[in-house]
Amino acid sequence: MVETIQWTTQGVVMLDQTRLPRETVFVTCRDYREVAQAIRGMVIRGAPAIGVAAAMGMALGAAGADPASLDAEMDHAAETLAATRPTAVNLFWAIERMKELYGRLRGRPVEEIRAALEAEAREMYRQDIAINQAMGRHGAGLVPDGKTVLTHCNAGALATAGFGTALGVIRAAVAAGKKIDVFAGETRPFLQGARLTAWELMQDGIPTTLITDNMAGHFLKSGRIGCVIVGADRIAGNGDVANKIGTYSVAVLARENGVPFYVAAPISTLDLSLASGDAIPIEQRPAAEVTHLFGVAVAPEGVAVENPAFDVTPARYVSAIVTERGVARAPYSESLRKLVVG
Amino acid sequence: MVETIQWTTQGVVMLDQTRLPRETVFVTCRDYREVAQAIRGMVIRGAPAIGVAAAMGMALGAAGADPASLDAEMDHAAETLAATRPTAVNLFWAIERMKELYGRLRGRPVEEIRAALEAEAREMYRQDIAINQAMGRHGAGLVPDGKTVLTHCNAGALATAGFGTALGVIRAAVAAGKKIDVFAGETRPFLQGARLTAWELMQDGIPTTLITDNMAGHFLKSGRIGCVIVGADRIAGNGDVANKIGTYSVAVLARENGVPFYVAAPISTLDLSLASGDAIPIEQRPAAEVTHLFGVAVAPEGVAVENPAFDVTPARYVSAIVTERGVARAPYSESLRKLVVG
């Protein structure tokens, strides 16, 4: 398995996801500004992976700072990383966790601070993989045997430190001996399904069929799909789920056809401070993502474009939310809080 | 306005829709085999336009045949044209209409037969435009003023001899003074929305915003969309509608959000011989349409693909069907039959 992100002595090394599946190219970020640029440019994407990248970016911030201006540099690193993408809450969660650690260490020898921040970022990387494996254990039982699983976007190893959230559940179901295959929606405009999910699952030998996003309804109606599993970028306190644009449509179509719709996400994706999904900020991305593909124009010059990168699926369409601490079901305002508080 | 299809002394001239919007190139079909190839290769597409093309192809069949083998050649032209695309019923309707005319003329001087078939094909072209304008008159009143109309695929001038079915209704609403704008779903995999609908509406100065197909649900939920209008490739006796893949999803999402979903189609698109949409054959198109865009690979080599070109929207999601003879509403098994029988 190719590594999505790694801490190395040269810097943070990321697999460039804008160039998959045609090229397997790695990018080395030597400071937090380069990490921020990689997140904004979607060299790395997926809420948990963005969280790990931000943590490593904060560690780079300490590593590269003049000891005399460490406070200011850490503030600036946090601000720069936080300004990259607004929707995935894991970004802010990871920055906050690193800021809190820095706050506790402030005044200690700079080498000790640097080592502690690096260790914390590497620990968050390791924890993310363990969290995904736990999600797989909790979620595998939900996947019907002998049917097709539909997923949208990429909530796989490439969207995390490894193993994946939605694809982690699928991997765990396969490992448990279930005979399943996957339908991957291509996920326009950025084609994470076509470029990343199909690539990842083919590497694992899990049978995968690529469809365009607008085919999801047709196949949900056909009776072939046993369940839908997707990831999440932010989950509000009431269970509303922000995820890649198109997720809401799949959720409605799943319910209309009696197919369970599952969300797999770590506790760090929960934002219980928000009463509902209406309060989740939705990133608007450049028009060129819609009008051009690999530099080729697919629409008339000058056409107006909307490009919201995410949508919000109301909790009533969500059959269950799989986390590393267990499976939450409606009413989510109770079940999610219970998982967080314990 | 650019002509979609024209009968000329050189042959049937078609605007090559595979190359829009980047190039405005015309293709001349000199015999029925070239017409069949153009239909199969989607140089021309859209149920009504395919019907007109097939009629002109039949006329070319008579024009190019050895008088001694005219019967056999007309049979072969009909078979060749009928084998191009299975879903749009207008194709078979047009071939049948030309075959019936030929049957009545059989035995007459070959020049008379050729002239009559050419005149019939040209008349079908003229009628198609008049039919679309009538649809516009009947449908314009359904379009809410001051809101956005969502459409899918291209049911415009490019899908017909001119004016369009769904876009004809939009054009008529604009001509009637309504302040509307259009959201065009890009319509993967062939991108008829991005390449054709956006291009056509921009030429007319109708404000148009391009979205990816998976954004339709998000905007239907937002309250911005006043109604959905699409065309159709075949409508069964009970009102089930076969149309471009993704139409079913839009219909479900429209109903879920209380937005009316209208279908605009000529009487020639009705297939009352079919009790329901389950009996409509759904064309499967090549995988390369999904995996490649303008020759560029967007998915891993060798990935499995499904590529149904159409889906079926059950009649219960259809708010009304606009035809040249008036507007049909549920129960469609009665209202459609009434429109046909008169």
Side-chain angles (χ1 to χ4, degrees), chain A:
Chain A
M1 192 71 213
V2 175
E3 289 274 3
T4 302
I5 185 168
Q6 271 181 292
W7 179 275
T8 75
T9 50
Q10 273 73 50
V12 178
V13 176
M14 302 176 187
L15 175 59
D16 186 347
Q17 299 193 27
T18 66
R19 292 163 83 170
L20 284 174
R22 291 193 294 169
E23 296 171 286
T24 307
V25 177
F26 292 87
V27 170
T28 303
C29 300
R30 290 184 170 77
D31 58 39
Y32 68 81
R33 287 180 189 84
E34 289 182 358
V35 172
Q37 201 173 353
I39 294 172
R40 193 180 299 107
M42 295 173 77
V43 167
I44 193 164
R45 27 63 51 201
I50 287 173
V52 172
M56 290 184 177
M58 290 291 284
L60 282 182
D66 181 335
S69 58
L70 191 54
D71 267 15
E73 271 296 275
M74 290 305 288
D75 279 351
H76 197 239
E79 280 166 27
T80 304
L81 289 161
T84 51
R85 301 196 66 194
T87 304
V89 75
N90 310 62
L91 175 73
F92 310 103
W93 166 85
I95 293 168
E96 207 47 49
R97 181 161 156 179
M98 294 296 279
K99 272 174 73 178
E100 274 172 23
L101 175 61
Y102 175 70
R104 289 198 298 277
L105 296 167
R106 198 193 260 129
R108 308 281 272 272
V110 69
E111 281 315 318
E112 187 189 331
I113 294 176
R114 286 174 178 159
L117 288 174
E118 178 191 323
E120 181 75 355
R122 297 176 78 153
E123 176 60 15
M124 285 164 76
Y125 168 93
R126 277 188 296 271
Q127 284 178 356
D128 188 58
I129 297 174
I131 282 168
N132 291 335
Q133 289 166 336
M135 247 181 268
R137 285 192 298 276
H138 291 300
L142 298 173
V143 180
D145 200 3
K147 300 272 263 181
T148 299
V149 179
L150 174 65
T151 190
H152 184 62
C153 197
N154 174 268
L158 292 167
T160 61
F163 200 66
T165 54
L167 299 194
V169 171
I170 290 170
R171 287 191 166 100
V174 170
K178 289 191 175 174
K179 295 234 173 308
I180 55 177
D181 71 303
V182 177
F183 268 35
E186 65 172 4
T187 318
R188 282 280 288 143
F190 210 65
L191 294 167
Q192 291 94 334
R195 297 191 302 105
L196 309 179
T197 295
W199 181 80
E200 221 192 283
L201 292 176
M202 283 170 80
Q203 290 214 331
D204 272 14
I206 297 174
T208 303
T209 300
L210 177 63
I211 60 171
T212 62
D213 302 317
N214 59 19
M215 294 174 191
H218 176 70
F219 288 109
L220 283 162
K221 180 155 74 87
S222 76
R224 173 170 184 164
I225 311 290
C227 73
V228 179
I229 312 180
V230 298
D233 288 83
R234 194 187 296 219
I235 300 174
N238 68 344
D240 290 354
V241 174
N243 191 45
K244 180 54 52 197
I245 188 73
T247 302
Y248 164 69
S249 295
V250 174
V252 170
L253 288 156
R255 202 189 56 173
E256 187 75 6
N257 290 287
V259 176
F261 177 86
Y262 300 120
V263 174
I267 295 291
S268 57
T269 299
L270 302 181
D271 185 356
L272 302 190
S273 73
L274 302 183
S276 86
D278 298 342
I280 298 175
I282 299 296
E283 177 183 10
Q284 299 288 327
R285 294 202 46 98
E289 286 184 359
V290 174
T291 57
H292 289 69
L293 270 154
F294 297 106
V296 180
V298 297
E301 214 181 300
V303 68
V305 168
E306 290 273 356
N307 189 11
F310 303 94
D311 60 25
V312 174
T313 300
R316 66 181 179 279
Y317 300 104
V318 180
S319 309
I321 297 173
V322 180
T323 76
E324 69 271 32
R325 296 191 192 154
V327 175
R329 294 195 182 259
Y332 291 105
S333 46
E334 289 173 27
S335 59
L336 293 178
R337 206 163 296 271
K338 218 173 273 174
L339 285 180
V340 170
V341 179

Side-chain angles (χ1 to χ4, degrees), chain B residues 56-142:
Chain B
M56 290 183 177
M58 290 291 283
L60 282 181
D66 182 333
S69 56
L70 192 54
D71 267 16
E73 271 296 275
M74 290 306 287
D75 280 351
H76 197 240
E79 279 166 28
T80 305
L81 289 162
T84 50
R85 302 195 66 193
T87 304
V89 76
N90 310 60
L91 175 73
F92 310 103
W93 166 86
I95 293 168
E96 206 47 48
R97 181 161 154 178
M98 294 296 279
K99 272 173 73 177
E100 274 172 24
L101 175 62
Y102 175 70
R104 290 198 298 278
L105 296 167
R106 199 193 259 129
R108 308 279 272 272
V110 70
E111 281 315 317
E112 188 190 327
I113 293 176
R114 287 174 177 159
L117 289 174
E118 178 191 323
E120 182 74 357
R122 298 176 76 153
E123 175 60 16
M124 286 164 75
Y125 168 93
R126 278 188 296 271
Q127 283 179 357
D128 188 58
I129 298 175
I131 282 167
N132 291 335
Q133 288 167 336
M135 247 182 268
R137 286 191 297 275
H138 291 300
L142 298 174

Side-chain angles (χ1 to χ4, degrees), chain B residues 271-310:
Chain B
D271 186 354
L272 302 190
S273 74
L274 301 183
S276 86
D278 298 341
I280 299 175
I282 299 296
E283 178 182 9
Q284 299 288 329
R285 294 200 50 93
E289 285 184 358
V290 173
T291 57
H292 289 69
L293 271 155
F294 297 106
V296 180
V298 297
E301 214 181 301
V303 67
V305 169
E306 289 273 354
N307 188 11
F310 304 93

